[in-house]
Amino acid sequence: MITTVPTQPIAGQKPGTSGLRKKTPVFIGRHYLENFTQAIFDVVGAKGKTFVLGGDGRYFNDRAAQVILRMAAANGAARVIVGQGANLSTPAASHLIRLNKTDGGIIMSASHNPGGPEEDFGVKFNMPNGGPAPESVTEAMFRRTEEITEYQMLEAQDVDLATVGRQTLGGMIVDVVDPVSDYAALMETLFDFPALRALFAGGFRMRMDAMCAVTGPYAVEILENRLGAAQGTVTHATPLPDFGGMHPDPNPTWAHELMAEMMGPDAPDFGAASDGDGDRNMVVGRGIYVSPSDSLAVLAANAHLAPGYARGLAGVARSMPTSAAADRVADALGIAKFETPTGWKFFGNLLDDGKVTLCGEESFGTGSDHVREKDGLWAILLWLNILAVRKQSVADILAEHWAKYGRNYYSRHDFEAIATDKADAMITALRATLPGLPGQQIEGMTITAADDFAYTDPVDGSVSAKQGVRILFADGSRIVMRLSGTGTEGATLRVYLERYAAGPDGLDLDPQEALAPVIRAAHSLARLTEFTGRDAPDVVT
Ligand code: G1P
Ligand code: ZN
């Protein structure tokens, strides 16, 4: 029984940096999920197609999955592969899309945003390559939501998502699969599991904070069951609909429990955390935090030590706000390097075209061509593989890296929940000053260039403009400012700060101290306090 349900456009269903994200009550609102889901199927077509479906287990994930399944059936889809319990980490979903050569997938997640009845929910569509839909596709979905008049719904009982196996829903096949096994098998092809088992058997200690989010079962299976890390290595390992009240964002502010342990007297050798949907990662050594930009650079310099990358890298890509540390490695290796706008979708073409093997963002995202999403556990396993081969501490590896390449001191300051009009006014005013900045002196540094980053995709020629204001200095320092595209409350201003030290002296400073003049320059050039009323960031990474 298929019903055609009359509906009306709902304003604001515009996907941001990573899908459509809203407060949960908005998503639960009448027709909200249904309109957006129909817009997805109207744009990509559902008839006779196969999709993957899963989410990060947050509140409303299970009910949303039932709605999406009924709509997929009503729209004529042939088959949907669903993670058991409607759970799939984002990288695992990307892998299942590729492994099964499906026509794409729907991921229910608001990533690192808190979950719960009053928190955040999100839906995004991934393409047959496993990667997030590009802007042309998400724009078409948005336009569709503005003109929608009806959606298709199958009248049926809930599918049993708790049991692995095949069922039917109307004329559609529903395959409920174990969320972990295919992903774990992929990891075994990339990393030297025997060497990692030997590492843990030799007494290597690790702490992995899964932050009550979707990575827990993946990390327990791979780290504890397959690699023999001590039981209890993975903490907050059970996914909860509200992430246990945690903010599942793996950064020093929100993963403070892990940070305290790693900086404490009985710190294990290695610490890591991942986010709500398992695509982000934070890496910490005993007594030392690894900035995501440095992590990308170290992984690029050492990836060949893992079997999956033994042939070397085709190239490395980083988002524009990410520090240039990875560029120095690419130059030294004589491989290609790319600078893309913020958001993983911009790496898709470079990966599909074989131009790059590794990608990363300063926002705790690292990944490779094994899937088309960033992948938290993958990054953690690559670090472990490198540690197993080099038999050095994280601190020693970083020190050697900086001694060889110099150090890109780096930090990001976030100012959250600013009134949108104030944030917009600040950015507009800053943009207007850009042409006059080159040549000016501030904090003893000379500005050499100032612009709004625009990107021309080298594969399909598409242009993305206004991707962030950049102010570059003669000494290699840099300020980048942009407004977040994933927030659900007011505006979040992100200020990215970078300063290069060639060494051999001055490689051991506290980043906030090393960056102090750059921070002062950023506040003054943007008239940040004047416009926003803020003088200190809410989150520092
Ligand atoms: C943020 C990060 C960006 C990342 C995205 C999705 O987007 O800055 O690097 O790709 O989340 O995880 P933003 O809120 O800055 O638009
Ligand atoms: Zn995420």
Side-chain angles (χ1 to χ4, degrees), residues 16-18 21 111-112 275 279-280 319 342-345 361-364 374 412 482-487 492 494 496:
T17 313
S18 186
R21 280 193 205 164
S111 184
H112 49 284
D275 74 329
D279 57 357
R280 292 188 173 195
S319 67
T342 296
W344 208 260
K345 57 182 175 241
E361 294 193 276
E362 52 63 43
S363 52
F364 301 84
K374 52 187 178 269
R412 187 180 94 196
R482 55 179 285 281
L483 298 180
S484 156
T486 59
T492 295
R494 303 204 196 281
Y496 308 84

